[in-house]
C-alpha cells in the first residue's frame, strides 16, 4: 500500500528501512529511502508503521531512553 503519495513510498519500503537502519524519526525514514518529507500528511502513518516494525523487532539498543523503555515511576 502506498503511504506517501508525494514520494511514492509503500508500507513495505518503510518496514524495510526500519529493519535495516532502525531509524528513530520519520525524517530518518525518508532519508533512508532517499527522499524528504513534502506535504507531511503521511508522517503519522509512517510513525505508526515504524512503531510496529521497531517494536516487533525489539530494535532499540541497550540503554535506550525512548518512552517504551523508560523506567516507570510509581
Amino acid at each position: 500500500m502506498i503511504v506517501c503519495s508525494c514520494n511514492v513510498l509503500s508500507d513495505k519500503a518503510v518496514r524495510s528501512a526500519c529493519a535495516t537502519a532502525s531509524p528513530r524519526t520519520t525524517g530518518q525514514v525518508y532519508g533512508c529511502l532517499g527522499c524528504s518529507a513534502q506535504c507531511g500528511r503521511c508522517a503519522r502513518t509512517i510513525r505508526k508503521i515504524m512503531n510496529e516494525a521497531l517494536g516487533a523487532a525489539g530494535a532499540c539498543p541497550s540503554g535506550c531512553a525512548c518512552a517504551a523503555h523508560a523506567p516507570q515511576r510509581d
Side-chain angles (χ1 to χ4, degrees):
M1 162 177 69
I2 299 296
V3 295
C4 176
S5 297
C6 297
N7 292 303
V8 192
L9 300 178
S10 68
D11 61 322
K12 185 176 178 180
V14 173
R15 290 180 204 285
S16 178
C18 291
T20 58
S22 298
R24 306 298 292 170
T25 67
T26 54
Q28 290 175 341
V29 171
Y30 291 114
C32 290
L33 297 171
C35 57
S36 61
Q38 301 298 312
C39 73
R41 282 185 264 163
C42 59
R44 287 186 192 171
T45 304
I46 289 175
R47 170 55 69 186
K48 182 179 176 187
I49 293 169
M50 284 175 60
N51 290 343
E52 291 170 359
L54 296 173
C60 289
S62 68
C64 176
C66 77
H69 299 109
Q72 298 293 323
R73 294 186 180 179
D74 293 331

